[in-house]
């Protein structure tokens, strides 16, 4: 356990640095409260995500009000969804507008992941690549995260959506063509993958989500502190190698060039594997374009510009990110 102590070197009277010392368990509780959890709510359109999110928010607020620990009582809960971001459901009709909507949610989550705030991201979150991005963002700041899957059957979702569309006083459902398209494209969370775990599934017939279990998994029970082990891909190194950004740019570009070159040599083939030593890029059935690969590459570089990776890990880390984004 650590605490922070400021000291001033004689040679630079206006420069402050940080040193680390051992502390008591009570001090560790205060440090633990610096970064708070991310809860991703995922489910079919009109599956009741907002209703379940409200239940979670009410439970967390009650838990905070009744807490005796000072570092718990100072917490707050923030919910992020299409309504809080001012997004209309028509944004899911076009690829570009939907991409902008995901970017707005991503920015809002990143902005609120910080001191004393529990973030409940109540959006569709139906693309596993997007959930992976948010998972990496949480890991980058050493905060726990989980996925809450709203397990409402498709037929029930259709019934609820029809009721919402027919009632002008309601918030409104999804237009039928958008609803069917989102159902078709939905990628259900899988608790076996690290970015979807821990996974809590809420069946339609359950009165409430497993709120206490979610609280214990993310905040910790009384006397037991939640420890967060950062991913190797998001660990901040104490000092960067001088040519790190050059290597990051060069290595990722080499992989992109190799994928494009492989596709040119295998025109007409559906899918395929591009082998890099013991790592493999799994290509989808439809051809991957250069702009698509460059967009993924820019996202990866942006995520890892400050989170220094050892040079040998750049290859494997980018290939893993590429596979997740293309899947």
């Amino acid at each position: 356990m650590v605490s922070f102590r400021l000291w001033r070197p004689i040679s630079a009277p206006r420069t402050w640095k940080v040193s680390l010392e051992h502390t008591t368990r009570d001090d560790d509780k205060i440090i633990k409260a610096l970064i708070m959890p991310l809860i991703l709510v995922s489910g079919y359109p009109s599956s009741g995500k907002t209703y379940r999110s409200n239940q979670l928010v009410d439970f967390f607020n009650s838990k905070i009000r009744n807490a005796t620990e000072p570092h718990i009582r100072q917490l707050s809960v923030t919910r992020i969804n299409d309504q809080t971001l001012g997004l209309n459901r028509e944004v899911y009709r076009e690829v570009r507008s939907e991409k902008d909507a995901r970017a707005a949610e991503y920015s809002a989550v990143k902005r609120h992941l910080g001191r004393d705030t529990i973030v409940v991201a109540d959006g569709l979150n139906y693309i596993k690549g997007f959930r992976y991005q948010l998972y990496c963002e949480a890991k980058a700041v050493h905060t726990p995260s989980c996925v809450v899957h709203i397990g409402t059957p498709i037929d029930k979702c259709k019934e609820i959506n029809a009721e919402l569309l027919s009632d002008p006083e309601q918030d409104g459902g999804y237009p039928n063509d958008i609803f069917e398209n989102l159902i078709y494209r939905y990628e259900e969370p899988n608790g076996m993958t690290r970015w979807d775990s821990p996974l809590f599934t809420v069946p339609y017939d359950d009165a409430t989500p497993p709120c206490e279990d979610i609280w214990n998994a993310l905040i910790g029970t009384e006397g037991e502190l939640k420890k967060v082990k950062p991913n190797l891909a998001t660990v901040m190194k104490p000092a960067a190698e001088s040519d790190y950004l050059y290597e990051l740019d060069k290595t990722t570009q080499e992989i992109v060039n190799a994928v494009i070159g492989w596709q040119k040599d295998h025109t007409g083939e559906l899918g395929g594997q591009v082998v890099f030593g013991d790592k493999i890029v799994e290509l989808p059935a439809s051809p991957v374009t250069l702009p698509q690969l460059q967009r993924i590459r820019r996202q990866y570089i942006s995520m890892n510009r400050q989170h220094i990776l050892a040079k040998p890990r750049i290859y494997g880390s980018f290939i893993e990110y590429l596979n997740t984004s293309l899947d």
Side-chain angles (χ1 to χ4, degrees):
M1 294 178 285
V2 299
S3 66
F4 298 89
R5 177 174 60 85
L6 296 177
W7 60 278
R8 184 175 59 184
I10 297 176
S11 60
R14 293 187 180 182
T15 301
W16 294 90
K17 296 183 178 180
V18 176
S19 65
L20 304 176
E21 292 180 326
H22 288 284
T23 66
T24 65
R25 176 172 291 273
D26 290 338
D27 293 329
D28 190 41
K29 289 182 179 180
I30 297 174
I31 294 172
K32 166 182 169 288
L34 291 176
I35 300 294
M36 281 293 106
L38 168 65
I39 301 169
L40 286 176
V41 181
S42 179
Y44 290 130
S46 299
S47 60
K49 295 182 298 297
T50 299
Y51 174 70
R52 296 302 192 181
S53 295
N54 286 336
Q55 289 181 307
L56 285 170
V57 170
D58 291 344
F59 175 85
F60 291 150
N61 283 329
S62 174
K63 198 81 171 176
I64 292 168
R65 285 194 305 270
N66 297 325
T68 57
E69 302 92 335
H71 71 283
I72 296 295
R73 292 184 62 86
Q74 68 183 6
L75 302 181
S76 62
V77 184
T78 295
R79 185 160 63 91
I80 298 171
N81 62 10
D82 289 352
Q83 286 72 33
T84 63
L85 297 174
L87 299 174
N88 187 284
R89 290 188 170 92
E90 287 291 329
V91 299
Y92 297 105
R93 188 177 297 280
E94 302 291 338
V95 173
R96 179 174 293 275
S97 58
E98 181 179 342
K99 178 183 174 183
D100 292 340
R102 285 200 301 272
E105 181 182 354
Y106 179 83
S107 298
V109 169
K110 185 174 181 179
R111 185 168 59 251
H112 285 92
L113 273 179
R115 182 184 178 90
D116 303 337
T117 304
I118 300 173
V119 180
V120 179
D122 165 28
L124 282 176
N125 301 320
Y126 69 94
I127 299 176
K128 61 183 175 183
F130 182 62
R131 294 198 299 269
Y132 176 77
Q133 282 185 286
L134 293 177
Y135 162 84
C136 288
E137 196 61 48
K139 283 295 185 181
V141 292
H142 299 186
T143 184
S145 63
C146 78
V147 174
V148 177
H149 177 220
I150 310 305
T152 306
I154 294 177
D155 290 342
K156 190 63 181 179
C157 292
K158 289 182 178 179
E159 180 184 328
I160 295 172
N161 193 65
E163 292 176 359
L164 292 172
L165 288 175
S166 64
D167 188 350
E169 296 185 2
Q170 294 284 350
D171 184 34
Y174 296 81
N176 289 326
D177 58 334
I178 296 178
F179 177 87
E180 294 293 341
N181 184 264
L182 291 174
I183 289 287
Y184 176 76
R185 291 191 289 140
Y186 184 75
E187 297 175 337
E188 187 172 322
N190 178 5
M192 298 298 291
T193 61
R194 62 185 183 281
W195 57 86
D196 282 338
S197 64
L199 174 64
F200 299 90
T201 299
V202 186
Y204 175 75
D205 294 330
D206 282 12
T208 63
C211 299
E212 193 72 43
D213 292 339
I214 296 173
W215 175 273
N216 291 338
L218 299 179
I219 307 298
T221 56
E222 185 174 358
E224 176 188 347
L225 300 178
K226 176 65 181 176
K227 306 291 184 181
V228 180
K229 182 179 179 180
N231 281 349
L232 292 177
T234 60
V235 172
M236 287 284 287
K237 297 290 192 298
E241 301 178 52
S242 59
D243 58 348
Y244 169 69
L245 292 180
Y246 169 77
E247 289 292 337
L248 185 65
D249 182 82
K250 176 186 174 184
T251 302
T252 54
Q253 188 62 58
E254 286 176 354
I255 294 174
V256 167
N257 291 342
V259 171
I260 292 297
W262 188 95
Q263 288 190 139
K264 288 181 179 179
D265 294 338
H266 298 78
T267 304
E269 293 188 15
L270 299 179
Q273 296 182 334
V274 187
V275 180
F276 297 88
D278 61 341
K279 303 293 183 182
I280 296 176
V281 174
E282 299 281 354
L283 296 179
S286 57
V288 182
T289 65
L290 179 58
Q292 183 180 359
L293 289 172
Q294 292 289 22
R295 183 173 63 252
I296 295 171
R297 174 175 170 267
R298 286 193 298 270
Q299 291 172 345
Y300 176 82
I301 290 177
S302 176
M303 291 170 56
N304 290 280
R305 186 178 296 275
Q306 300 298 327
H307 308 122
I308 310 302
L309 296 171
K311 288 182 187 178
R313 277 194 50 78
I314 297 177
Y315 252 99
S317 177
F318 180 58
I319 288 174
E320 179 182 347
Y321 183 76
L322 195 59
N323 284 328
T324 301
S325 301
L326 293 175
D327 192 359

